[in-house]
Amino acid sequence: MNIYEDYTSYLGEHQELIEKMISTNSAVYYALSDVIKVTDYIYRLQAQNTKIDEDLQEIFEIGFGYLANVLGDLKTYYVEYFDQNMDTFNYYSELMLYSIYIEDFKEHLRVQELINDDSQKVLNDLMYKIDGILANKKPYSEVDINEIEATIDDLKIDGDSYKPVYNVFRLITEELEIE
């Protein structure tokens, strides 16, 4: 199998969840929609035997890797934590979005060699807190959200131009003029 076959197979395995997120206007789908648009666009180019330059190839690989991680986590939440209940899934969508953001931010800091033991611990602790709420289906409030945001803001580094993967892919959809 090549990466494009892996991609179609992986998305096929998660198609039911993707369709449920779309049909229920799940907020968490925001973190996926533009990435899927771009990877599907590149996949279709490849399927038409169009020459794909190195930049598009790299974009596809990054997008597919991101989708594999995020969809894997979302499916775990949906199936194992929420017993395939979309109402529960959507109730916790804001926390799942923060979970996606934190994982992405942590990876950005690692790649940019800006992470240290303290920031790693703070981000891991945030993830444990979010996961504990999700796994135990605990209620959460605006206070929890404000704490998460404040903690993340405290870790941001002046001059660092971090943008979440889903925002970068939104810009790519505009650049490629993908609807």
Side-chain angles (χ1 to χ4, degrees), residues 5-138:
E5 291 169 349
D6 290 344
Y7 171 76
T8 57
S9 175
Y10 193 82
L11 252 56
E13 292 171 19
H14 294 83
Q15 192 61 38
E16 179 185 340
L17 178 57
I18 292 168
E19 288 174 5
K20 286 184 181 203
M21 284 188 283
I22 292 168
S23 69
T24 62
N25 291 319
S26 181
V28 78
Y29 187 68
Y30 172 81
L32 301 170
S33 63
D34 289 323
V35 181
I36 291 173
K37 286 177 189 175
V38 172
T39 53
D40 279 353
Y41 172 82
I42 298 169
Y43 171 79
R44 286 191 306 278
L45 289 176
Q46 181 275 333
Q48 298 165 355
N49 294 316
T50 302
K51 176 86 170 108
I52 299 173
D53 66 29
E54 287 181 28
D55 289 341
L56 285 181
Q57 180 65 35
E58 184 176 356
I59 289 167
F60 182 85
E61 290 171 6
I62 290 167
F64 179 31
Y66 173 82
L67 289 172
N69 289 334
V70 171
L71 282 170
D73 289 347
L74 293 177
K75 189 168 186 178
T76 297
Y77 298 142
Y78 177 65
V79 173
E80 295 178 21
Y81 289 15
F82 307 141
D83 301 318
Q84 299 185 25
N85 182 315
M86 269 321 276
D87 290 334
T88 306
F89 182 91
N90 287 331
Y91 171 77
Y92 289 104
S93 63
E94 186 173 20
L95 287 178
M96 289 184 285
L97 281 168
Y98 277 108
S99 176
I100 292 166
Y101 181 92
I102 293 165
E103 285 294 335
D104 189 48
F105 182 57
K106 189 165 53 171
E107 181 62 14
H108 165 78
L109 292 176
R110 189 190 64 73
V111 167
Q112 297 299 317
E113 298 179 359
L114 298 171
I115 199 160
N116 59 39
D117 290 342
D118 291 338
S119 57
Q120 176 89 26
K121 181 181 179 343
V122 168
L123 290 170
N124 287 342
D125 288 348
L126 264 184
M127 290 300 294
Y128 291 133
K129 176 181 179 169
I130 291 170
D131 194 61
I133 293 169
L134 298 174
N136 297 301
K137 297 182 219 150
K138 292 181 181 175

